[in-house]
Amino acid sequence: MQTKVYNLEGTEVGKLTLDDGVFKLPYNEALIHQAVVTFLANQRQGTKSTLTRAEVAGGGKKPWRQKGTGRARQGSIRSPQWIHGGVVFAPKPRDYEKKMTKQMKKGAFLSALSAMASEGCITVVETLDVEPKTKFAAKVLEALKLNRRVTVVTDGVNENALRAFSNLPDVNVTTANLLNTYELVVSDHLLISKDAIKKLEEVNK
């Protein structure tokens, strides 16, 4: 598979051959779905906690006698129907962690990456050595006609690219070794440097 290479002005400057073992694999929707669900579940802290009626302070005494008052019978002012009472089925801290094997994670990632490549949603540029200015980054995206959700992929930590693109709406900046299936699924386009392509191929062979 071949793809065009552009400069930051949006002009085609060459072509790049992509590794079929990374960018031309069959689409596996079920595996991608599992990877996304696992990723989102593992982002949850699981620290939500409220008190049940047994844990709320007070309410040890019956508020009034059982009969003869004309009011509904009550056993405690900390019952759930009372203001300041306990919560029914109160949420408690829990672990939402899900697991996938390394092979399954890799398979889902390469499947999603191949789908983007086949749909022409990967734009390769010679370099992402940009000025650390949001205005410059906006001009780059406009020149390359990328106006929707974009993930910018660099070969390593690139402070200039991070500063330039991070303030733009719907633009995410990451590195080739940290790019994951979820970021691919929620992106309409990948803007990636030639060096980052090589790194992706090295890591996923």
Side-chain angles (χ1 to χ4, degrees), residues 1-6 12 14-24 114 116-124 194 197 201:
M1 180 184 292
Q2 281 197 332
T3 186
K4 296 177 181 178
V5 179
Y6 298 91
E12 182 182 342
K15 294 197 175 184
L16 180 68
T17 302
L18 302 178
D19 188 338
D20 287 350
V22 175
F23 292 94
K24 202 173 182 181
S114 298
M116 293 196 79
S118 65
E119 292 168 6
C121 297
I122 298 179
T123 301
V124 182
K194 285 175 66 176
I197 286 280
E201 293 176 343

Side-chain angles (χ1 to χ4, degrees), residues 109-133:
F109 175 75
L110 294 181
S111 179
L113 190 62
S114 298
M116 293 196 79
S118 65
E119 292 168 6
C121 297
I122 298 179
T123 301
V124 182
V125 290
E126 280 187 306
T127 178
L128 280 170
D129 292 332
V130 298
E131 293 180 30
K133 295 182 179 179

Side-chain angles (χ1 to χ4, degrees), residues 60-76:
K61 180 184 176 183
K62 187 174 175 68
W64 53 76
R65 59 196 173 97
Q66 182 81 348
K67 293 179 178 292
T69 64
R71 289 181 287 186
R73 57 196 176 188
Q74 299 291 337
S76 168

Side-chain angles (χ1 to χ4, degrees), residues 9-47:
E9 287 75 41
T11 305
E12 182 182 342
V13 292
K15 294 197 175 184
L16 180 68
T17 302
L18 302 178
D19 188 338
D20 287 350
V22 175
F23 292 94
K24 202 173 182 181
L25 295 177
Y27 183 63
N28 190 331
E29 185 175 357
L31 195 57
I32 292 173
H33 176 268
Q34 186 177 347
V36 171
V37 169
T38 299
F39 175 83
L40 292 176
N42 292 343
Q43 302 305 301
R44 298 182 70 174
Q45 290 183 314
T47 54

